[in-house]
């Protein structure tokens, strides 16, 4: 990488390849609060009509899918492509697993909580995750004041005896760290949220083979608008209960979204196997590597922030050692404990999510690394301009 | 209609127009438990490529929709076509209403319960509906043991003072009757489930203008596999809370499903306005009229069953008097109270839903009238063969 500010922002061969519009109103706040994965648009645009899918008026009227899956609304084409992609990437075992499809992985988190919560207890089961945890877990667990399960906060300080459910997010959202369960109890049930266990974000060190594993197309290919997630579930009864949850909650999952997701996953697998195609994961990994290098340079040049560091690990997929390039940057303001990093960035028209939302402190923020080039470039420009908290704030 | 048994089953000009396969294994049970609206396939097949919609790989990656709706994930094309269709059919007022889109109307029922439940009460609010009520209401209200709301059964026997929510389903599922609220309380909040308030099922007597009204494409056009429902909501704060529910529950609704639904609704409106097209509602009304006539003849010829009757009403849409032709037949076994109609039909390989599931009694069953022709024909054949309960059962 070259060394000037301008170069940091503008010279990247990857991320500046398809700038749509590099001028935004200076007054517009850049929204990096959500992990909206629009960065991937450039790849899919290049794929041309390879992923086109057309629906006729008489397609998919029925509630039921055409497969013989335990999950009665799961389209067999999607089931096939999910299994194929995991086999190509080697990030999860699929043989002898049940697949349950969901309207994004958020719905599957609720389905997993429903399936794993005992029904014969007077008290709701405690649900925990180690800080910093995904900001939606408390809300998803408690929003309808369920009597089945109750958010109990940081897994590290959880000391209650008895039953619990622990969310293990690996790589972790917000900080990208590889995780194992934290609670040392023998009555725990684990939900592995593996949304980011894909080669563009982290080394694939072994195929995951946990009891309940959640994935989503949003973070794998960028198709967040489709709202397609899937669970790989070892136990038949758990898969059956999760399917029941989906049935009551939404009577299944959109067939259009499932069939399009099948097509997209098919093209991703093809791109990994066909040397004439541009490998999706190599493309997106190089994009992420470039963005992270540029961000690290801005942060190094600015003495006020720190970024999480990640170890080099051997990746089974790329057959090489690589560093993590998480979907979110977990930025830490140096300085006093009461430093409000989210507020500081907001003053500089960068909208991020405060560490507080993740059970962590005000000095931290989570920043999406998956925006369109234009927004990412403006973000770096604005971050570079920050020299410390505004006086009096 | 001609008068022989064979004719009743086979001679209908409408329903036999496109038989796919009139031979099914005699041992196969016909599933009329769900209201799976596959009957409509024949219309959509005739429409050819008028409803085709193609998605490219780079379409709709974002969580966010392109519109400016309060419901941030609602596609503006869908919003536009929902409003247009209600204006064409005159079955609901849309001006000054907020639209919230859902993954089918089941999810919107939960969103409405969430939005209308007080958060400052120690006890969950009571949720009621008059028997026979839609069999999913108790399950949808209670499946995660919510502390916000609790199923309290038949609205007619509800006597608790204070707050309550009443589901008013009109035309009613399962029995097709036009309904008004039943509880005579001043602290009630009402959710109008108007899934069946379309011209093929009932006369459109006036545009509905209730505070919270739920609709679904499943029962309007038959596209149940898309999982698209919508709520028309008068109060901004209620619409905002319903949107929040959707955000936590599934982070919005599939964009593919929304955009295809917009296309389908557009063609339906076009078909009502363009004399060169076959009017969707006229087509489906004639299909329903034919099925109901044939069913009534079978039931009349058989002294063991009774069907619900419906008054003639003037329909603003067809500009004529018409009888209701509900999506479900509510069949009553004559005989003793302990007569189990669902069991009797099951013995004759007709799978229906017992009256018990609707808060009613064993003598009743709900039977889908929306199956494919082949299944409907076999259903009539089998029903005709029943001469009373099997001895000893």
């Amino acid at each position: 990488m070259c060394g000037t500010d301008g170069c940091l922002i503008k010279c990247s061969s990857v991320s500046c390849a398809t700038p749509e519009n590099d001028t935004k109103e200076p007054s517009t706040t850049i929204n990096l609060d959500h992990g909206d994965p629009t960065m991937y648009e450039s790849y899919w645009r290049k794929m041309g009509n390879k992923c086109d899918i057309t629906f006729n008026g008489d397609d998919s009227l029925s509630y039921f899918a055409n497969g013989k899956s335990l999950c009665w609304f799961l389209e067999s084409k999607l089931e096939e492509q999910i299994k194929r992609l995991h086999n190509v990437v080697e990030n999860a075992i699929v043989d002898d697993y049940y697949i349950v499809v969901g309207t994004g992985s958020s719905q599957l988190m609720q389905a997993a909580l429903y399936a794993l919560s005992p029904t014969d207890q007077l008290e709701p089961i405690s649900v925990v995750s180690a800080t910093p945890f995904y900001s939606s877990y408390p809300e998803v667990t408690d929003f309808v004041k369920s009597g089945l399960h109750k958010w109990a906060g940081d897994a590290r300080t959880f000391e209650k005896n008895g039953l619990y459910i622990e969310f293990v997010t690996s790589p972790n959202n917000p900080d990208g760290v590889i995780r194992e369960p934290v609670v040392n109890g023998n009555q725990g049930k684990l939900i592995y949220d593996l949304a980011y266990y894909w080669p563009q974000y982290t080394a694939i060190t072994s195929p995951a083979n946990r009891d309940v594993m959640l994935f989503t197309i949003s973070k794998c290919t960028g198709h967040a608008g489709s709202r397609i997630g899937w669970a790989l579930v070892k136990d038949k009864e758990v898969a059956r209960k999760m399917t029941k949850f989906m049935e009551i909650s939404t009577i299944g999952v959109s067939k259009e979204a499932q069939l399009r997701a099948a097509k997209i996953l098919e093209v991703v697998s093809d791109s990994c196997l066909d040397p004439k195609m541009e490998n999706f994961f190599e493309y997106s990994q190089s994009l992420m590597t470039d963005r992270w290098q540029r961000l690290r340079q801005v942060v190094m040049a600015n003495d006020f922030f720190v970024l999480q560091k990640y170890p080099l690990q051997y990746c089974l997929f790329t057959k090489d050692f690589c560093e993590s390039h998480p979907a979110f940057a977990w930025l830490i303001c140096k300085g006093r404990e009461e430093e409000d990093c989210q507020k500081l960035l907001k003053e500089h028209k960068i909208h991020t999510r405060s560490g507080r939302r993740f059970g962590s402190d005000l000095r931290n923020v989570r920043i999406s690394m998956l925006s369109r080039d234009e927004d990412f470039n403006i973000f770096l420009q604005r971050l570079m301009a920050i020299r410390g908290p505004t006086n009096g704030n």
Side-chain angles (χ1 to χ4, degrees), chain A residues 9-10 14-24 30-43 45 222 224-225 283 287-288 290-291 294 327 367-381:
Chain A
I9 307 299
K10 293 286 178 191
V14 180
S15 63
C16 292
T18 54
E20 289 176 294
N21 177 10
D22 257 19
T23 50
K24 214 162 204 172
I30 300 296
N31 191 344
L32 303 175
D33 174 22
H34 302 86
D36 202 27
T38 45
M39 179 188 84
Y40 296 105
E41 274 171 1
S42 58
Y43 179 85
R45 206 174 299 125
Y283 175 91
L287 222 61
M288 291 303 287
D290 179 82
R291 287 191 174 189
R294 291 157 68 209
I367 302 170
S368 169
M369 294 292 284
L370 303 181
S371 67
R372 292 192 182 90
D373 282 338
E374 183 198 2
D375 285 356
F376 187 74
N377 291 335
I378 296 174
F379 157 58
L380 288 193
Q381 275 171 341

Side-chain angles (χ1 to χ4, degrees), chain A residues 177-241:
Chain A
V177 168
I178 300 299
R179 285 194 156 184
E180 293 292 335
V182 162
V183 182
N184 189 13
N186 55 8
Q187 292 188 72
K189 296 183 183 180
L190 305 174
I191 300 171
Y192 279 81
D193 184 344
L194 303 183
Y196 303 95
Y197 193 42
W198 296 102
Q200 67 267 51
Y201 303 121
T202 193
I204 305 302
T205 52
S206 68
N209 62 347
R210 311 298 189 159
D211 286 357
V212 179
M213 303 187 277
L214 308 184
F215 291 92
T216 164
I217 200 168
S218 307
K219 308 304 176 181
C220 172
T221 73
H223 291 82
S226 304
R227 312 306 312 119
I228 290 291
W230 61 93
L232 302 179
V233 183
K234 212 175 256 177
D235 182 75
K236 190 172 187 175
E237 203 41 46
V238 173
R240 202 189 298 280
K241 281 189 191 161

Side-chain angles (χ1 to χ4, degrees), chain A residues 125-129 133-134 137-139 141-142 149-154 167:
Chain A
I125 191 169
S126 296
V127 179
V128 297
S129 190
F133 46 70
Y134 175 37
Y137 292 151
E139 210 167 30
T141 307
D142 285 348
H149 41 70
K150 191 171 171 58
W151 180 249
D154 187 3
F167 277 112

Side-chain angles (χ1 to χ4, degrees), chain A residues 9 31 44 47 53 88 96 118 128 174 181 224 231 262 297 334 346 360:
Chain A
I9 307 299
N31 191 344
W44 296 111
M47 285 296 105
I53 183 166
V88 166
D96 303 323
V128 297
Q297 288 188 48
K334 292 178 186 172
K346 191 71 180 280
S360 187

